Amino acid sequence: MVHRLSEGHRPPRVECGDPTHRLPGPRGTGHTGDVLLRRPVLDAIAAGRVTRAYRRWDRARVKPGTRLRTVVGVLEVTAVRTVAAASLTDADAAAAGVADAAALRRELAKRPTGEVFRIDLRPAGEDPRIALRADDDLDDDARAALDARLARMDTTSSYGPWTAATLALIAENPEVRAPDLAQRMGRETQPFKRDVRKLKELGLTESLPVGYRLSPRGRAYLRN
């Protein structure tokens, strides 16, 4: 199973238009509960120069085999183990993309309780949604499957059907900020963004630096 790279106490996720991605970690970066893996670190992981991360947790929040989605592709957790903060070396810090051991310990100290975990990471291929959203050859079975998934989202929603209206709104308003789109639907921004992520999981939408657009798959679905 592929998870989205995340931080804090929430399930892994990737924010629309956010160049940083999240692994569960300590507080204190300006995002509640978050320490961010920034794009240069992700690029270094993809290139093999960074091979691990360190986090202070009350318990392990990932396990070997966990897969995490990022803008540089899928990352796989290959090992998770506890270490003593005092034992960290400059080489350990470099492997995590941090300047030196002192800087790494300062980062970990932002969360004063819990154990220090070393999380080994490796690149594990492209985000599978890239190929999915490019697939606009929808046969009857594929269309029926999408119909069923969208109908389930509508029927289980606490605020009524939303999928058709959201797809139409994005089709008519590409590259418009999520708060503006949410306002047009009379909705709060964060629940609206969560729903768009559900459509993205089906390969129907794409996140842009600002706003969204329908993917080729999404456009094909709306055409018929």
Side-chain angles (χ1 to χ4, degrees):
M1 180 178 181
V2 177
H3 296 278
R4 284 169 289 183
L5 194 58
S6 174
E7 299 184 20
H9 299 275
R10 298 178 298 279
R13 63 187 174 88
V14 172
E15 293 288 355
C16 166
D18 189 347
T20 58
H21 299 273
R22 299 184 174 111
L23 186 69
R27 301 178 184 272
T29 64
H31 294 256
T32 303
D34 290 347
V35 167
L36 303 181
L37 289 176
R38 300 192 178 277
R39 182 59 186 264
V41 174
L42 291 171
D43 288 338
I45 293 172
R49 297 190 304 273
V50 167
T51 58
R52 71 185 71 157
Y54 291 91
R55 294 293 183 269
R56 190 182 293 276
W57 293 328
D58 54 352
R59 58 181 173 80
R61 300 188 181 278
V62 293
K63 62 184 180 180
T66 298
R67 291 190 163 210
L68 311 164
R69 284 199 297 257
T70 79
V71 292
V72 299
V74 177
L75 305 181
E76 182 179 7
V77 176
T78 59
V80 181
R81 62 186 178 91
T82 58
V83 297
S87 72
L88 295 172
T89 67
D90 289 347
D92 293 325
V98 180
D100 54 37
L104 179 55
R105 280 191 283 270
R106 285 195 299 271
E107 188 65 37
L108 293 167
K110 290 178 180 178
R111 182 171 183 175
T113 61
E115 295 183 285
V116 175
F117 286 82
R118 169 179 156 171
I119 306 101
D120 290 357
L121 300 161
R122 71 172 184 88
E126 287 191 347
D127 184 336
R129 292 174 302 180
I130 295 173
L132 180 62
R133 68 193 185 207
D135 182 5
D136 60 357
D137 185 14
L138 297 179
D139 59 19
D140 290 343
D141 289 343
R143 182 169 295 279
L146 284 171
D147 287 342
R149 290 287 298 275
L150 295 173
R152 192 177 312 122
M153 291 178 184
D154 285 337
T155 57
T156 58
S157 168
S158 61
Y159 38 84
W162 60 271
T163 60
T166 303
L167 286 169
L169 182 68
I170 292 171
E172 295 164 4
N173 299 276
E175 299 183 82
V176 173
R177 294 186 327 126
D180 297 332
L181 294 176
Q183 185 177 38
R184 294 181 195 187
M185 294 191 71
R187 299 191 56 192
E188 296 294 326
T189 299
Q190 291 308 314
F192 174 79
K193 290 173 71 174
R194 285 195 294 270
D195 280 345
V196 176
R197 285 197 293 271
K198 295 174 187 176
L199 300 175
K200 185 176 179 180
E201 291 297 309
L202 298 179
L204 299 176
T205 66
E206 300 179 48
S207 296
L208 303 173
V210 176
Y212 314 94
R213 68 183 174 197
L214 292 186
S215 67
R217 187 176 185 82
R219 293 194 295 273
Y221 180 75
L222 290 190
R223 274 198 300 269
N224 299 312

